[in-house]
Amino acid sequence: MNRTIEIMLDEDVLMSQGGLRSLSVKDKHYASEENYWRGASWLPINFMVLRAARKYYWDLDSTPHK
């Protein structure tokens, strides 16, 4: 899990000033063609990460939220 978080927070991979990118800046498809989901930030990715963090990791001493 720690490696996943490191990758998400790395500005050279997924993190941007606007949030998480859907693709790494190192991916050949990043910022190609239309940038709707290939650009600097994509809201659905950020929503899913925050939702999963709340549900599974917010409080590791308690059961997952529903």
Side-chain angles (χ1 to χ4, degrees):
M1 178 171 76
N2 289 338
R3 183 69 182 131
T4 302
I5 293 170
E6 286 176 22
I7 291 169
M8 288 186 337
L9 296 178
D10 187 342
E11 291 185 13
D12 293 329
V13 183
L14 291 178
M15 183 56 73
S16 74
Q17 289 183 351
L20 292 173
R21 299 176 178 99
S22 60
L23 289 173
S24 169
V25 293
K26 298 174 183 178
D27 190 286
K28 67 179 183 176
H29 297 291
Y30 179 75
S32 64
E33 298 177 29
E34 55 92 9
N35 284 334
Y36 170 67
W37 66 273
R38 299 176 188 199
S41 179
W42 197 44
L43 184 61
I45 293 292
N46 289 273
F47 174 79
M48 288 185 284
V49 167
L50 289 173
R51 185 168 186 250
R54 179 178 178 263
K55 184 173 183 178
Y56 296 108
Y57 303 108
W58 220 261
D59 184 2
L60 295 176
D61 293 332
S62 67
T63 57
H65 299 281
K66 292 190 179 198

